Amino acid sequence: MSKFSKLINGKKVLLLGPAPHILDPDNTKDFEDFDVIVKVNKMVEKAEFKNDNLNNRTDVLYHWMQIDIPNGDDPFSVEEWKNRGVKHVRMQFVGVEYHYKKNNNQFLKINSQFKIEYSFSSIETFSNACNMCDGTLPSTGILAINDLIQQEPLSLDIRGP
């Protein structure tokens, strides 16, 4: 069993998606009841929860590593991730296209300074999600849900998509 699987397997997992209503404290007041808190893409940098403990707790960050500044994608900050408690970055298998490999390699280079644990989902996880989405590119949230279920958590609570 991989390190990532051990992190999720048999645990109570809360996946927080990027929706404005998720910032309402009533929607996350029970976050401490979960073993694993998962956030998606830019939630570490952009979501401001009323509870600082939740702002500074991300056990797993699913990230696409997309950096497209001309189209409005801000660069990610591995330093900020580290400062805000990210313990593990889970990247999606994105094939061998140069653009995606370049983004992942940029993360790996920057992360060599900060040493956040990371892993990649499998090609099978990515292919299965694409098939379920009729061959279109699934969102990071869909990929995260599919990947998390395969790790056999005790429970998976999804809020905010």
Side-chain angles (χ1 to χ4, degrees), residues 21-31 49-50 159:
H21 70 270
I22 200 66
L23 299 176
D24 181 335
D26 287 338
N27 292 325
T28 55
K29 63 185 172 194
D30 63 342
F31 80 92
F49 295 93
K50 301 262 191 275
R159 299 183 192 167

Side-chain angles (χ1 to χ4, degrees), residues 15-18 38-41 43 62-64 92 125 129 132-133 137-149 156 158-161:
L15 171 61
L16 298 174
V38 178
K39 296 178 185 168
V40 178
N41 284 333
M43 288 188 70
Y62 274 85
H63 207 287
W64 190 255
Q92 303 305 317
T125 299
M132 288 187 292
C133 293
L137 194 60
S139 69
T140 304
I142 295 294
L143 289 165
I145 292 166
N146 189 38
D147 190 38
L148 288 166
I149 289 170
L156 175 60
I158 303 166
R159 299 183 192 167

Side-chain angles (χ1 to χ4, degrees), residues 34-77:
F34 292 88
D35 302 309
V36 180
I37 303 293
V38 178
K39 296 178 185 168
V40 178
N41 284 333
K42 297 178 178 123
M43 288 188 70
V44 173
E45 297 103 323
K46 297 203 178 212
E48 286 297 327
F49 295 93
K50 301 262 191 275
N51 187 317
D52 275 341
N53 290 332
L54 185 53
N55 284 325
N56 295 314
R57 180 174 173 203
T58 304
D59 300 305
V60 177
L61 173 63
Y62 274 85
H63 207 287
W64 190 255
M65 298 299 159
Q66 178 68 25
I67 305 165
D68 193 358
I69 295 169
N71 287 319
D73 282 330
D74 295 330
F76 55 80
S77 172

